[in-house]
Amino acid sequence: MGLGIEIEKERPPDPGPEIYRSEFPSDLMARVDVMTAVCDALKSRNGFAGEDESHMFRLCFDEALVNAIKHGNRFDANKKVTVTLYHAPDVWGVRIEDQGKGFDPKTLPDPDDPNSLLLEHGRGILIMKSIMSEVHYYDRGNRLLLVKRRNESAPEK
């Protein structure tokens, strides 16, 4: 099966107007305030179908932020992570950008391969794809857009 991702040549359309933007250093503790601000903004706009969806998104968002800090910027505190939240009545999205070199999706382990079961990496993208309506990687793979459409369940596998 594989992860079925590729680096898109064009930037996907932003899902609605920008309502929040933050830039922070590549430090794992620095992500906490941004996670709280984004989740609070979505809750105040009824962006979640319920608490379960809120918790699932928080898991997904945390995974994306950790990937940007750890794999993208390689914990370099001089490099920043930028988070932008977009919201419209029927869709919202979060863009996460790091200043790293990007990545080649072909180098990621296949989560269906039994030899990948004990690896410490490679499941984050699978988590994101199972929770969000759309997952887009673009530029060099250093920009990620997570999209959730209202009244839509997670994509079928």
Side-chain angles (χ1 to χ4, degrees), residues 33-81:
D33 289 339
V34 173
M35 286 180 55
T36 300
V38 167
C39 290
D40 287 350
L42 286 168
K43 282 182 184 178
S44 72
R45 289 170 172 78
N46 298 316
F48 300 120
E51 280 302 308
D52 285 349
E53 188 172 275
S54 171
H55 292 302
M56 295 298 287
F57 170 70
R58 192 171 181 90
L59 171 71
C60 174
F61 187 34
D62 188 45
E63 185 65 38
L65 292 175
V66 169
N67 283 351
I69 294 165
K70 181 179 178 181
H71 301 294
N73 290 344
R74 305 214 182 268
F75 295 108
D76 182 344
N78 295 315
K79 292 183 177 180
K80 307 290 185 205
V81 175

